[in-house]
Amino acid sequence: MNMHDEMAPTHEELEAEQRTRAYSSLAHLELETERRTFSPKRMFPQLVLAVFFIALLLALTTGALVYKSIIDSAAQSSSSRQGAALVCNAVHANDAQGAIATGTGPEGRSLVIVEELQSGTFETRFYLYQDQILQEYSIAGTPYTPEKASVVADSDTFEFTYSKGLLSVTTDRGTSNVALRSAQGGA
């Protein structure tokens, strides 16, 4: 027996090899055909993924809009209480007998908080000037200087009344009240 004879494929081996090649080419042809044709099986997962991403974007957008609305509402609410409430808090913090007085500002009456310290007498003045409520801290008896004052709030109105221990401060955005602890607030 020749070595060459042992290496030569048999008829059965040749047939098996031809069958394997045929199956392989059929599978390749079927795969190519599947790629080219529309398949609902492949379209459904892509559609579900697209719907998921659209829902996610809508949820993110809605969340951002709700957050912005809440922040704007809080800022507006804070701003609306700022003017009169700040004045009332300052009055309440400095309430003592004879500490609350009325002065004359550049455009009408001013609410004055008088503080007597060892270094002298000082005034915190609240008054209306050019559609703004201003707060000015200065030595008692000096002229009003709006250019050195701090803006408390924008308002066309600044009025205050004192009756039976209750100080009411009114601005464009509403009225705030403070009960004076001292028997004679002075305003």
Side-chain angles (χ1 to χ4, degrees):
M1 220 161 141
N2 188 338
M3 197 155 197
H4 183 62
D5 289 339
E6 285 181 26
M7 297 299 255
T10 64
H11 179 67
E12 294 161 355
E13 290 175 339
L14 285 174
E15 281 182 11
E17 186 177 329
Q18 283 178 349
R19 265 187 264 133
T20 304
R21 284 186 192 153
Y23 290 145
S24 174
S25 63
L26 276 175
H28 181 68
L29 182 62
E30 187 176 307
L31 183 63
E32 286 295 318
T33 306
E34 188 175 313
R35 283 186 197 158
R36 290 185 203 140
T37 60
F38 174 76
S39 171
K41 290 179 187 177
R42 288 187 307 147
M43 192 57 135
F44 182 73
Q46 293 172 355
L47 185 63
V48 169
L49 189 61
V51 168
F52 173 75
F53 281 124
I54 289 170
L56 182 64
L57 286 174
L58 287 173
L60 286 173
T61 303
T62 303
L65 291 174
V66 167
Y67 179 76
K68 183 182 181 303
S69 174
I70 289 170
I71 294 300
D72 290 345
S73 175
Q76 182 181 6
S77 176
S78 174
S79 173
S80 70
R81 291 188 307 255
Q82 183 179 7
L86 182 84
V87 174
C88 286
N89 286 339
V91 168
H92 186 69
N94 295 294
D95 183 18
Q97 190 168 9
I100 310 302
T102 302
T104 304
E107 295 182 3
R109 291 184 347 145
S110 67
L111 181 63
V112 180
I113 303 170
V114 180
E115 296 178 71
E116 293 185 21
L117 305 173
Q118 290 178 348
S119 56
T121 303
F122 296 89
E123 296 177 342
T124 303
R125 304 165 177 164
F126 292 96
Y127 55 91
L128 187 65
Y129 182 72
Q130 295 181 351
D131 296 331
Q132 293 180 320
I133 299 171
L134 302 181
Q135 177 183 9
E136 178 182 340
Y137 189 72
S138 63
I139 298 172
T142 59
Y144 285 74
T145 52
E147 57 276 355
K148 293 182 181 178
S150 300
V151 175
V152 173
D154 292 330
S155 179
D156 295 333
T157 306
F158 179 68
E159 298 171 356
F160 55 93
T161 58
Y162 177 73
S163 176
K164 298 179 183 178
L166 184 67
L167 177 69
S168 298
V169 179
T170 303
T171 66
D172 288 349
R173 296 183 177 147
T175 300
S176 289
N177 300 308
V178 63
L180 298 179
R181 295 176 297 219
S182 61
Q184 298 175 355

